[in-house]
Amino acid sequence: MGGGRKLRRRRVLVGGREARFDNKRLRARVAYLSQRPYELAEGTLADNLRALDPAVPDARLLEALDRVGLLAALRSRVVADAGVLDLPYGALSRGQARRVMLARALL
């Protein structure tokens, strides 16, 4: 799927069984992270994390940032955790922005 090898068959195996993409459970557990993800350059971290689901609570956003190893670095820029989510997305390095997109995939 990463493009390293040409596929001979157009199927994906998960745990040795063919994955059916109309399966709701599978879609809930699989995320795709594009090389060119949808980003709101003028928005905040919270705006970008909530781009696909506006109802995600702040606590889950912070947990996702922590899981990708970004929360500690961002906390050094602000006084409180709420300030992390208000940081401008455009002020992040490209590497940090990629981690935010990974965190969004984990939500």
Side-chain angles (χ1 to χ4, degrees):
M1 288 178 72
R5 295 175 60 180
K6 196 167 200 159
L7 297 177
R8 293 181 191 186
R9 296 182 187 147
R10 295 179 186 264
R11 64 186 189 139
V12 175
L13 300 178
V14 176
R17 296 189 323 202
E18 188 165 350
R20 293 185 49 209
F21 289 98
D22 60 335
N23 183 321
K24 247 181 162 175
R25 264 184 58 211
L26 179 64
R27 285 196 319 260
R29 298 182 68 172
V30 174
Y32 173 75
L33 185 58
S34 171
Q35 290 294 322
R36 293 190 178 107
Y38 172 74
E39 301 171 291
L40 301 168
E42 301 299 319
T44 64
L45 262 69
D47 295 335
N48 276 279
L49 289 169
R50 287 190 176 110
L52 303 177
D53 184 359
V56 178
D58 288 356
R60 281 197 53 215
L61 300 182
L62 294 168
E63 179 185 327
L65 290 171
D66 192 35
R67 287 182 66 193
V68 299
L70 191 54
L71 186 57
L74 297 176
R75 277 182 172 147
S76 68
R77 298 183 184 188
V78 297
V79 176
D81 281 351
V84 168
L85 299 176
D86 291 331
L87 286 170
Y89 182 78
L92 300 177
S93 71
R94 282 311 302 157
Q96 290 172 326
R98 299 297 296 153
R99 286 185 187 208
V100 171
M101 294 300 103
L102 180 57
R104 183 170 71 187
L106 294 174
L107 297 170

